[in-house]
Amino acid sequence: MPLPLVWLIKVVLIYGGLITVAAAMSLAERKVSAWIQWRVGPNRVGPWGLLQPVADGVKFIFKEELVPEGANQTLFRLAPILSAVPPMLAVAVIPFAGEVSIGGHVTTLSIADLDISTLYVVAIGGLGIYGVILGGWSSNSKYSLLGGLRASAQMVSYELSLLLSILVVVVLSGTLDLRQIVNDQAGPIFAWNIFALPVGPIAFLLFVIATFAETNRHPFDFAECEPELVGGFHTEYSSMKFALFFLGEYCAMTVMACLTTVFFLGGGNIPWWPDAPWLLELTCFLSKMGFFLFLFLWVRWTLPRFRFDQLMALGWKVMLPIAIANVFVTGALLSLGWFA
Amino acid sequence: MLTDYAPILILLGLVLAFAGGNVVFSELASTRRRGIDKGSSYECGMGSVGNARLRLSIHFYLVAVLFILFDVESLLLIPWASSARGFAAAGVGHVVFAEIAGFVAVLGVGLAYVWRKGGLEWDR
């Protein structure tokens, strides 16, 4: 079997998996909300409501397309694509499990193994902001404009804390390669970066909070703050263009959950069992990822929404100084031989 | 190795085809009925007053500038971060850390300056 075919198989499997998880999240979002509020949730389409995402997809395709008057025609159509593509690309470097054998080739279970994969994820993930701000501006609606502006201000503010908490992990592992960061955390559970005292837990908390802000999720969902801005930057969107924004958001959540797992919880590593078979590693990875995906929903129905100035104050006045100090302390401890 | 990036190109093609295809396909497949005021912004309740191409609050501009500043500064930390272990192993960890500490201090002083000047106050 030629090598490009192996690549194609991996791309299709992982990308298909991502889309499936995103679709499942759209159901889980409603099911979990329902359980937390003592309701049943969607249960009409298929057994236990399992076919609901399919029904939604078909409905989205045939719904009427509306482009508001005065909207910028090109940008209005481009924005959903720009918003959905980056998170789907970022999944390329996530190391789901160790070595597998596909058609005679021994290969790793990630689309690409780059030596700068951390930079790749940050760079590609950061592009998602264009879709949000272009979608908000091109709709020619004030709700959309304000939603887009708020979302972009929030995303850039928390990207700093995100980057600085990743830096701590990079210092601890001494590499930018996600797969090596995972391998570095093999062995006992204390090898996980979250247990690299004293800086690991702080970096982990900063990272998780920043992922909530980056993906515009509760309690930071100012992009679509219903009581103030109706639907935020995608108020004017309908049909499949709206669905693409949603798909992009769920894909971004999935990628962020994967990254939290990789950076802080040892990726697919099973504690005290470094040479586990790849299927178990993959299961372990997916269950850690699933926990963080559930956390997104759990927090949504637990915490009230922030006010916008509180959000900016938290990002710039609390998280950024702590993140800078955290990097500083990590460097100091490393040069003193603490993490030897 | 550049061939490491080849699978990403395959993924890029697939993702663009999926996203672009969805937009095009739903444009073709969706129903279309014209109606009065259907294209007005928000389409519900009272018509919106004026144009949405407004002048923006200067705060957003300030946040963007600050972001670029701090983002570039923290990007400059990445080479150090990925090689800090190597320096520590080679026994020059202290020297390199002293240099990087100066750099992080500049980052901190910059933040303190912006804070003092009120650049971080959103409700002013």
Side-chain angles (χ1 to χ4, degrees):
Chain A
M1 188 185 282
L3 194 58
L5 197 59
V6 177
W7 292 341
L8 189 65
I9 291 175
K10 285 202 291 187
V11 166
V12 169
L13 280 182
I14 293 180
Y15 182 50
L18 179 71
I19 298 287
T20 312
V21 169
M25 275 301 286
S26 74
L27 176 65
E29 174 106 55
R30 281 171 282 173
K31 273 289 185 188
V32 173
S33 321
W35 292 333
I36 289 177
Q37 296 176 338
W38 214 256
R39 294 183 284 116
V40 181
N43 65 348
R44 283 290 172 267
V45 192
W48 201 70
L50 273 178
L51 294 178
Q52 187 70 38
V54 181
D56 286 344
V58 173
K59 192 175 169 184
F60 270 131
I61 289 175
F62 293 108
K63 276 284 172 184
E64 180 166 9
E65 293 274 350
L66 281 174
V67 181
E69 287 161 11
N72 187 318
Q73 300 282 333
T74 321
L75 292 182
F76 188 80
R77 290 183 170 85
L78 194 62
I81 301 177
L82 280 181
S83 152
V85 165
M88 293 177 179
L89 276 185
V91 83
V93 292
I94 306 281
F96 287 99
E99 289 182 337
V100 291
S101 170
I102 301 178
H105 285 274
V106 175
T107 176
T108 50
L109 201 61
S110 59
I111 293 177
D113 278 315
L114 311 180
D115 42 7
I116 51 144
S117 41
T118 307
L119 268 183
Y120 172 86
V121 161
V122 174
I124 297 289
L127 292 177
I129 201 165
Y130 286 108
V132 170
I133 193 155
L134 281 179
W137 182 82
S138 66
S139 308
N140 193 27
S141 159
K142 285 172 187 165
Y143 295 121
S144 306
L145 180 72
L146 287 173
L149 278 176
R150 278 182 173 196
S152 48
Q154 157 187 350
M155 283 161 92
V156 297
S157 301
Y158 282 77
E159 203 154 311
L160 296 174
S161 311
L162 194 80
L163 188 57
L164 286 170
S165 49
I166 292 175
L167 265 187
V168 171
V169 174
V170 173
V171 171
L172 289 176
S173 304
T175 173
L176 287 171
D177 188 340
L178 291 182
R179 182 167 298 281
Q180 284 189 36
I181 289 176
V182 168
N183 291 341
D184 198 49
Q185 301 175 70
I189 198 169
F190 309 107
W192 291 3
N193 281 330
I194 184 176
F195 295 116
L197 297 171
V199 288
I202 301 174
F204 171 72
L205 267 184
L206 289 175
F207 187 86
V208 169
I209 296 173
T211 55
F212 277 75
E214 280 294 298
T215 49
N216 293 320
R217 292 292 300 183
H218 251 271
F220 309 119
D221 66 337
F222 294 94
E224 43 175 308
C225 185
E226 297 94 343
E228 297 167 24
L229 292 176
V230 193
F233 62 90
H234 50 55
T235 304
E236 300 290 347
Y237 280 89
S238 55
S239 175
M240 211 60 207
K241 295 203 208 65
F242 173 77
L244 274 182
F245 274 121
F246 248 64
L247 206 56
E249 184 179 314
Y250 285 127
C251 286
M253 281 161 63
T254 312
V255 169
M256 286 300 186
C258 290
L259 285 180
T260 320
T261 307
V262 166
F263 284 134
F264 295 99
L265 295 191
N269 281 318
I270 302 171
W272 291 287
W273 192 9
D275 309 316
W278 69 270
L279 202 60
L280 282 180
E281 276 187 4
L282 182 66
T283 315
C284 184
F285 188 101
L286 291 183
S287 32
K288 288 171 191 173
M289 180 194 89
F291 170 76
F292 283 106
L293 283 177
F294 174 70
L295 190 70
F296 277 111
L297 308 179
W298 190 6
V299 166
R300 175 173 177 189
W301 297 101
T302 307
L303 298 180
R305 187 184 280 123
F306 275 54
R307 218 172 50 216
F308 194 66
D309 60 314
Q310 291 173 330
L311 166 93
M312 297 306 272
L314 178 73
W316 286 96
K317 293 182 181 173
V318 181
M319 291 191 35
L320 186 58
I322 294 179
I324 292 179
N326 206 26
V327 171
F328 186 82
V329 171
T330 312
L333 288 177
L334 185 83
S335 67
L336 291 174
W338 180 277
F339 300 114
Chain B
M1 288 284 281
L2 269 180
T3 49
D4 289 351
Y5 291 82
I8 296 183
L9 274 183
I10 302 179
L11 179 67
L12 179 67
L14 206 64
V15 165
L16 282 180
F18 177 80
N22 265 330
V23 168
V24 172
F25 181 63
S26 75
E27 293 253 339
L28 297 177
S30 69
T31 49
R32 233 167 251 279
R33 295 210 179 83
R34 297 271 155 246
I36 301 169
D37 272 352
K38 217 170 182 178
S40 66
S41 72
Y42 192 45
E43 206 220 333
C44 296
M46 283 191 281
S48 112
V49 179
N51 198 315
R53 307 276 188 251
L54 306 165
R55 290 206 233 170
L56 311 175
S57 167
I58 192 78
H59 277 310
F60 291 110
Y61 174 73
L62 192 62
V63 166
V65 169
L66 287 179
F67 164 71
I68 292 175
L69 215 67
F70 283 98
D71 204 37
V72 169
E73 287 193 1
S74 35
L75 276 179
L76 287 175
L77 283 173
I78 287 184
W80 163 73
S82 59
S83 49
R85 257 194 198 283
F87 287 129
V92 291
H94 310 87
V95 185
V96 178
F97 176 68
E99 286 174 14
I100 216 67
F103 186 70
V104 175
V106 172
L107 206 79
V109 169
L111 184 64
Y113 177 76
V114 174
W115 198 328
R116 185 80 195 279
K117 280 284 181 184
L120 306 181
E121 307 297 326
W122 195 261
D123 45 356
R124 244 175 9 130

